[in-house]
Amino acid sequence: MTLDRHNPEAAIAEAAKAFSNWERWGEDDVLGTLNFLDEAKRREGAALIRRGVSFSLAQSFDMNGPQKGWRRRTNPVHTMLDTGTDAALGNQGFPTGPQKGWRRRTNPVHTMLDTGTDAALGNQGFPHGIGGADDVIAMPLQCSTQWDGLGHIFDHGKAWNGRAAEKVVTSDGDLVTGIEHMAPHVAGRGVLLDVGRVIGDGGELPDGFAITEEHLTATAEAHGVAVGRGDLVLVRTGRLTRARRDGWGDYAGGDSPGLSFTTASWLHGTEIAALATDTWGFEVRPNEFEPAFQPLHQVAIPHIGLLIGEMWDLDALAQDCAADGVHDFWLTAAPLPITGAVGSPVNPIAVK
């Protein structure tokens, strides 16, 4: 696939038409490519547990995270920062049609409601000496390790499966493809493609490095694994490794290695169930067009129906895979079933 770097509209339209999965699973579908992850695939993934060693693939959820904002026991209050109506009205200010609400994200703010001090002072009002601690957290759902749901990105006012964006995501949330529908399904065979280690220098790719289908294929061959239908694919670039060493800098929203727009055909043709990276935005930044904002998202989510994960911590898993030469494993990564959410924090667990 060749790119006219000055015509993102044409490239996006061409890819959207060529790689669309609209109505592949019926007009009422809410799972997209998770439909590829069936019972047989889960049995295959479970059989990969041999040593019993496990890895959390989540970053910490705290004020020391990558987001640059700073804004602090009740029922959850779910608030939409951007909706399908905003997209339909064209008031989000993004070029070439993509819609991705991210400008108001902050790090999590963790606040204690009751503490050991309260208990020691006896001011909690409980009988027979019992005391306790309780806490609350306030955060955007996509401020750290997370999934992008199917209602997260639109293409020219169209959401996944060709639905009108303004009818899918309103101020009440995602009324159709809320992330809660995916909660039972994200568990199966995980595959790590450590592109940073295979292609990069010292285990890391430089910012602006566009990972192509050829890079993904070469990495899989180097690891001795096959990638195919129903797999949960993890792509390590080394970007998080560098952020931990040198400081967050522009990790959130800045330049980064990532998938090339040309991998849309690979994402579609391999029939993978999901793909997650150790980067903020999954695709290469700066994007490969001028001007553009996350054009691969614009194809992958509303047209392919792909579940996308971002800001995953793959370093400890990658080190273990390099040591034992095994790059596939059982992976469970259920989103929180937050009704109507277009994304969710997650603590993915890989077991080898």
Side-chain angles (χ1 to χ4, degrees):
M1 181 179 183
T2 58
L3 295 181
D4 180 349
R5 297 180 182 274
H6 301 287
N7 194 356
E9 288 275 1
I12 292 167
E14 178 184 352
K17 181 178 180 181
F19 310 127
S20 174
N21 281 326
W22 285 2
E23 298 194 8
R24 182 170 186 166
W25 299 284
E27 62 180 11
D28 297 327
D29 181 68
V30 296
L31 295 179
T33 55
L34 278 181
N35 284 287
F36 292 132
L37 206 174
D38 57 16
E39 290 85 353
K41 197 68 185 183
R42 291 195 186 91
R43 289 194 298 271
E44 179 185 344
L48 295 171
I49 299 176
R50 297 183 178 91
R51 295 159 53 207
V53 62
S54 61
F55 301 87
S56 169
L57 310 183
Q59 295 188 38
S60 299
F61 286 79
D62 57 37
M63 285 289 288
N64 296 317
Q67 306 297 336
K68 297 183 178 180
W70 59 270
R71 301 175 296 248
R72 301 230 113 20
R73 186 188 278 155
T74 65
N75 290 320
V77 178
H78 179 208
T79 302
M80 299 303 301
L81 301 180
D82 288 278
T83 69
T85 303
D86 297 318
L89 294 175
N91 62 8
Q92 292 180 306
F94 299 131
T96 70
Q99 316 297 339
K100 184 173 171 72
W102 62 276
R103 294 161 294 178
R104 288 163 280 194
R105 290 181 185 166
T106 61
N107 290 314
V109 178
H110 179 213
T111 303
M112 298 305 302
L113 300 180
D114 284 281
T115 68
T117 302
D118 296 318
L121 293 174
N123 62 7
Q124 291 183 308
F126 297 132
H128 50 74
I130 189 173
D134 210 352
D135 47 6
V136 65
I137 192 167
M139 66 179 188
L141 297 182
Q142 291 158 289
C143 65
S144 188
T145 306
Q146 52 97 10
W147 286 119
D148 282 349
L150 293 182
H152 182 48
I153 299 290
F154 314 123
D155 178 20
H156 292 84
K158 295 295 183 181
W160 161 242
N161 230 17
R163 302 178 178 104
E166 68 272 18
K167 294 182 179 179
V168 174
V169 183
T170 73
S171 58
D172 291 323
D174 186 335
L175 307 179
V176 181
T177 52
I179 201 119
E180 71 274 12
H181 297 293
M182 296 181 166
H185 300 283
V186 194
R189 179 183 183 245
V191 179
L192 174 69
L193 298 182
D194 192 350
V195 184
R197 190 179 301 267
V198 173
I199 306 296
D201 181 11
E204 301 174 20
L205 299 174
D207 291 339
F209 186 95
I211 299 170
T212 65
E213 177 177 348
E214 290 73 24
H215 294 132
L216 295 170
T217 300
T219 299
E221 290 176 352
H223 293 335
V225 293
V227 174
R229 186 175 184 135
D231 285 335
L232 304 167
V233 179
L234 312 180
V235 175
R236 180 185 171 275
T237 70
R239 182 65 183 88
L240 180 58
T241 310
R242 186 162 68 255
R244 285 192 167 133
R245 182 181 64 244
D246 300 338
W248 287 118
D250 288 330
Y251 175 84
D255 294 351
S256 176
L259 268 66
S260 168
F261 183 83
T262 61
T263 60
S265 60
W266 185 88
L267 297 172
H268 179 262
T270 53
E271 297 185 336
I272 60 174
L275 188 143
T277 72
D278 58 349
T279 69
W280 170 86
F282 158 75
E283 57 189 285
V284 63
R285 294 180 59 82
N287 299 136
E288 295 161 284
F289 302 95
E290 181 62 41
F293 182 76
Q294 305 301 75
L296 185 55
H297 276 69
Q298 194 175 344
V299 175
I301 294 180
H303 291 282
I304 298 176
L306 182 67
L307 180 63
I308 293 174
E310 293 160 335
M311 294 183 283
W312 289 37
D313 183 356
L314 305 177
D315 283 354
L317 174 64
Q319 184 174 355
D320 188 84
C321 290
D324 73 358
V326 177
H327 287 78
D328 56 350
F329 37 84
W330 170 253
L331 178 64
T332 179
L336 297 179
I338 303 169
T339 302
V342 299
S344 172
V346 63
N347 178 28
I349 303 293
V351 187
K352 298 180 64 179

